[in-house]
Amino acid sequence: MCGLTGILTNNSIESLQSDCSAMTEILRKRGPDDQGVWVDKNKGITLGHTRLAVIDLSKSGRQPMMSNNGRWVLVYNGEIYNHIEIRKELISLGINFRGDSDTETLLEAIATWGVENTVSKLIGMFAFAVWDSKLNLLSLVRDRMGIKPLYYGNFNGLFLFGSELKALRAHKGWSPCINRDALASFMRHNYVPAPMSIYQNVFKLEAGCILKVRLGEEPKINSYWSLSNIVQRASYNRIDFNDFEATNKLNELLLDAVGRRMISDVPLGAFLSGGIDSSLVVALMQAQSSSPINTFTIGFEESNYNEAEHAAIIAKHLKTNHSELYVSSDDALNVIPKLPDIYDEPFSDSSQIPTFLVSELARQHVTVALSGDGGDECFAGYDRYFLAERIQRSRKRLPDSFLNGLSLMINSIKSGRLRAFSNAMPTCLTDSKFGEKIRKIPDILLQNDDELYRYLLSHWKNPNELVLNSEEKKGAIWDEAIQGFLPEYIERMEYLDYHTYLPDDILTKIDRASMANSLEARVPLIDHRVVEFSWQLPLKFKIRNGKSKWLMRQVLQKYVPQELFERPKMGFGVPLDNWLRGPLREWADSLLNENRIRQEGYLNSKLISKKWQEHLSGKKNWQYYLWDILVFQAWHERWM
């Protein structure tokens, strides 16, 4: 795994080397093993790279790398898992190789077949920039699922790009300001959705896209892989498997996806929470390894947030080399000051904290770790899918008078009594967020399908009211055309999560948390072949007998007894509500100060003050709303 950056400009040609070196150096965490810069002053192009050596540790894997024919120069972040097969094909065409890196395989494939034809062959995660010196054309490419990040911005003849925003910020020509519309979107989602960034005129290249740009011209972007096309084709051509055939096919696909991601010239392991996704990845790793796999988990003293005990049971059964670390609230709180530097732009999924900590633990032992991310999107695993469907099914059977009465009754219950009721219930009937879920019922009872989905994924429900002088952009979650080719409600929610929540939240979180620790994280469950297969399946293979991920469970049962993994779903969270009233109180008070927010001029200070006081009093639990604000305020304090 690596960091890449570069400049295309007709300005400040003499400082290209030093400017790119400064941008590259700031990505050192992404690639601590090596660093390089390539410059062509005559054409105004420079490419920079920091390397985390994983495949071919020798100097023959150094970047930037020039093709054998001298036409192409490449900087690349990621892994090509089928590069050996591609290399054999190239060798059969007479191509010679200097080393064994997948970088060289990718580069010579581009030199032989071109950019578009090459990316269609790739199995992997990648973001890369390649310069064509014959056509004076720069191409930026991002993998199909958006696993690896790539930002770019155009500033009056200065085109900057990089793996993280901090690389662009390091250039002396950096001059953007906050995009208030993007800030409004952040307050809804807890991330800034692509293609926007938090800055005006700076963008994320979207998943499955190629950007091409020449000096002095506007960038042109095309999609080389479209989930929309995949889904629409699959909806007319569902696979009619029986249960046995479907289970074996998924097992075969996942064994290959996991096996490819176990290729490494450095120590390798996996994150293990004890849930279905990570347990399945570890089981498939161990099934293909002659020695115990390294597995890692962190635990919390707060039982509602602790999965370490479950992970230990799975690890013992699979006979992995298991490491666990119980972290205190102080350990977790010490991560918070680092967040603005790790994430570069406001990002407030609070599971960013334990994700950083487990990455930090893993990096003490390995350089590569496999993760179970993506299983929920592939096989309908999120609780909100079931909640939304049950609500809509129930709503159709109940009169409005009853729904209005129920809404009034729930709103009248004080938070203290709701918590006491939840605590008195048997743990098998509730979870750590029971009270929060009950609180949501009044607001969601009268929503239609798409409104309900937006409600369930939204933090601030009306962000334009919160962010001054903003107009939230209407993205995919407002696209009514999707219902035309995906009439099934749960599948529509899955599809929207693929487009938004998966790349912009889940994959952003794991990339930044792991790379901040110089750790490469690989995500086999969203191998594009697995994703395409999952969309060919009828919904009965995802949801059956009231349970999600039915087919994944069937595969996991081949390796782990059902009683070891069948338990209520837990999020990878932290007790924010209590922290904000306790150890984070002073920090939060400073950032949420009404006068300060009013003077900064971005947010509605009175609205925030009201929610902060309600939270402190215990009348309401506004933890996620307030965390969005706090993350933005901390980011603003650090960078603006």
Side-chain angles (χ1 to χ4, degrees):
M1 203 59 59
C2 308
L4 65 89
T5 189
I7 307 166
L8 180 63
T9 184
N10 52 16
N11 303 322
S12 307
I13 301 299
E14 293 306 315
S15 65
L16 272 178
Q17 177 86 35
S18 58
D19 289 344
C20 191
S21 293
M23 295 168 68
T24 304
E25 174 60 33
I26 208 164
L27 296 177
R28 173 66 72 173
K29 282 280 190 181
R30 295 189 74 93
D33 298 328
D34 198 7
Q35 186 171 319
V37 172
W38 172 86
V39 180
D40 186 339
K41 290 184 179 180
N42 293 326
K43 296 183 176 180
I45 179 71
T46 180
L47 304 175
H49 188 264
T50 61
R51 184 185 185 199
L52 178 65
V54 173
I55 302 293
D56 186 358
L57 311 186
S58 72
K59 291 184 178 180
S60 63
R62 293 192 70 185
Q63 300 181 48
M65 184 180 290
M66 183 176 289
S67 63
N68 283 329
N69 62 13
R71 174 177 172 176
W72 304 84
V73 186
L74 173 74
V75 285
Y76 150 62
N77 167 30
E79 299 290 347
I80 307 302
Y81 302 120
N82 63 331
H83 90 94
I84 293 175
E85 294 98 309
I86 293 174
R87 178 174 287 229
K88 288 178 180 177
E89 187 176 354
L90 290 168
I91 290 172
S92 73
L93 298 174
I95 305 299
N96 296 315
F97 289 90
R98 294 157 286 181
D100 299 317
S101 71
D102 60 336
T103 305
E104 190 179 6
T105 304
L106 173 61
L107 180 57
E108 294 304 328
I110 291 170
T112 303
W113 298 311
V115 174
E116 288 84 353
N117 290 333
T118 294
V119 295
S120 68
K121 293 174 176 283
L122 303 180
I123 299 172
M125 58 179 184
F126 48 85
F128 64 83
V130 63
W131 172 252
D132 181 347
S133 62
K134 181 179 179 180
L135 299 180
N136 295 330
L137 180 67
L138 175 69
S139 296
L140 305 183
V141 183
R142 195 172 179 204
D143 64 64
R144 297 171 181 87
M145 304 310 299
I147 302 169
K148 294 292 100 186
L150 196 49
Y151 293 86
Y152 66 93
N154 207 347
F155 308 98
N156 299 319
L158 174 66
F159 185 83
L160 303 175
F161 61 92
S163 296
E164 297 182 14
L165 281 170
K166 59 173 63 72
L168 280 65
R169 269 196 300 255
H171 194 282
K172 59 181 179 290
W174 171 265
S175 59
C177 58
I178 289 177
N179 182 339
R180 290 176 183 262
D181 299 342
L183 179 57
S185 292
F186 162 73
M187 292 300 177
R188 177 181 297 279
H189 295 283
N190 78 233
Y191 55 81
V192 178
M196 293 186 294
S197 83
I198 191 61
Y199 299 109
Q200 291 183 13
N201 301 318
V202 180
F203 304 95
K204 304 177 180 81
L205 183 61
E206 292 189 88
C209 285
I210 301 174
L211 177 151
K212 294 189 175 185
V213 61
R214 286 188 174 88
L215 192 60
E217 297 180 2
E218 286 298 311
K220 296 178 180 178
I221 300 175
N222 292 305
S223 171
Y224 67 88
W225 186 88
S226 166
L227 181 63
S228 173
N229 292 340
I230 297 296
V231 170
Q232 291 187 56
R233 286 198 301 267
S235 66
Y236 297 110
N237 189 30
R238 300 285 179 158
I239 297 176
D240 189 21
F241 281 135
N242 61 41
D243 291 354
F244 178 79
E245 291 170 332
T247 301
N248 283 345
K249 179 61 177 177
L250 181 59
N251 183 59
E252 175 188 317
L253 270 174
L254 289 176
L255 277 169
D256 185 71
V258 169
R260 289 179 182 275
R261 286 157 180 80
M262 293 173 67
I263 298 172
S264 174
D265 294 334
V266 294
L268 173 125
F271 303 134
L272 179 61
S273 69
I276 291 170
D277 300 350
S278 66
S279 297
L280 180 54
V281 169
V282 171
L284 294 168
M285 290 176 73
Q286 195 60 71
Q288 300 177 81
S289 175
S290 58
S291 59
I293 292 295
N294 298 304
T295 53
F296 306 95
T297 190
I298 58 169
F300 289 95
E301 296 301 332
E302 294 93 339
S303 60
N304 287 339
Y305 298 88
N306 183 39
E307 292 190 288
E309 294 176 356
H310 304 292
I313 292 170
I314 299 294
K316 182 178 180 181
H317 174 79
L318 294 173
K319 298 181 173 60
T320 71
N321 179 27
H322 190 57
S323 299
E324 68 177 20
L325 174 68
Y326 272 79
V327 296
S328 67
S329 58
D330 286 341
D331 295 323
L333 295 173
N334 287 337
V335 176
I336 292 174
K338 303 174 184 177
L339 296 179
D341 284 289
I342 293 171
Y343 287 92
D344 266 345
E345 65 179 350
F347 181 85
S348 56
D349 181 337
S350 60
S351 62
Q352 63 200 144
I353 296 172
T355 303
F356 176 88
L357 290 169
V358 75
S359 298
E360 186 177 53
L361 169 64
R363 188 60 178 93
Q364 296 170 22
H365 305 271
V366 300
T367 308
V368 175
L370 273 65
S371 166
D373 290 306
D376 287 313
E377 288 82 4
C378 275
F379 292 94
Y382 287 121
D383 289 344
R384 65 173 177 268
Y385 298 161
F386 293 87
L387 176 62
E389 188 182 48
R390 284 198 297 267
I391 288 170
Q392 295 303 72
R393 196 165 57 240
S394 298
R395 186 189 180 284
K396 291 172 184 176
R397 296 198 300 262
L398 297 172
D400 286 348
S401 57
F402 175 83
L403 296 175
N404 289 329
L406 181 63
S407 175
L408 289 171
M409 181 186 73
I410 292 174
N411 274 326
S412 69
I413 303 174
K414 294 182 178 180
S415 293
R417 290 183 178 178
L418 195 56
R419 283 197 297 272
F421 174 71
S422 176
N423 293 336
M425 293 280 286
T427 55
C428 63
L429 298 180
T430 64
D431 60 25
S432 59
K433 298 179 180 179
F434 176 78
E436 295 174 34
K437 291 176 180 177
I438 293 295
R439 279 286 184 211
K440 289 179 179 179
I441 290 176
D443 293 323
I444 64 181
L445 286 174
L446 301 178
Q447 311 273 354
N448 67 33
D449 286 0
D450 293 335
E451 290 171 342
L452 178 56
Y453 173 79
R454 285 196 294 273
Y455 177 88
L456 292 173
L457 63 79
S458 297
H459 285 205
W460 291 84
K461 308 301 187 278
N462 186 9
N464 291 333
E465 180 186 13
L466 173 68
V467 180
L468 304 178
N469 304 312
S470 69
E471 185 175 344
E472 182 187 11
K473 301 300 183 187
K474 297 294 192 285
I477 63 172
W478 282 271
D479 187 354
E480 296 179 356
I482 296 171
Q483 190 169 357
F485 63 87
L486 274 179
E488 169 57 54
Y489 188 28
I490 287 180
E491 289 188 327
R492 197 155 69 250
M493 288 188 282
E494 276 188 287
Y495 174 84
L496 288 167
D497 278 344
Y498 265 113
H499 267 294
T500 57
Y501 185 66
L502 178 63
D504 292 333
D505 186 310
I506 300 299
L507 297 177
T508 296
K509 175 180 63 181
I510 189 65
D511 175 80
R512 304 307 190 279
S514 60
M515 294 312 298
N517 289 287
S518 302
L519 176 76
E520 176 175 302
R522 299 176 176 177
V523 279
L525 297 183
I526 51 171
D527 183 303
H528 76 274
R529 299 167 302 161
V530 176
V531 171
E532 290 174 2
F533 172 73
S534 76
W535 280 102
Q536 291 179 295
L537 293 169
L539 193 58
K540 67 179 181 180
F541 288 109
K542 300 178 182 181
I543 298 173
R544 194 177 298 187
N545 301 324
K547 289 186 177 181
S548 64
K549 304 184 197 175
W550 182 85
L551 194 57
M552 290 183 72
R553 294 172 194 264
Q554 298 306 110
V555 175
L556 183 54
Q557 283 180 207
K558 289 176 173 285
Y559 306 94
V560 177
Q562 185 176 2
E563 62 269 17
L564 298 188
F565 64 81
E566 288 292 1
R567 59 185 178 86
K569 184 178 178 65
M570 288 181 69
F572 199 33
V574 291
L576 275 179
D577 53 344
N578 294 329
W579 287 359
L580 292 175
R581 296 186 186 99
L584 287 179
R585 168 73 182 270
E586 184 177 351
W587 172 75
D589 268 332
S590 172
L591 292 175
L592 298 178
N593 179 274
E594 188 171 350
N595 290 330
R596 171 180 177 165
I597 291 175
R598 186 186 305 112
Q599 290 172 6
E600 290 169 348
Y602 289 102
L603 303 175
N604 184 329
S605 59
K606 291 189 178 299
L607 183 60
I608 294 167
S609 180
K610 180 175 184 292
K611 280 192 164 35
W612 181 224
Q613 294 308 314
E614 288 178 346
H615 186 84
L616 290 176
S617 70
K619 291 180 180 178
K620 301 273 188 175
N621 180 5
W622 296 119
Q623 57 179 338
Y624 298 121
Y625 291 70
L626 294 168
W627 187 243
D628 296 336
I629 303 297
L630 289 164
V631 163
F632 170 71
Q633 289 292 95
W635 173 85
H636 183 270
E637 184 176 71
R638 169 67 178 89
W639 291 113
M640 301 301 292

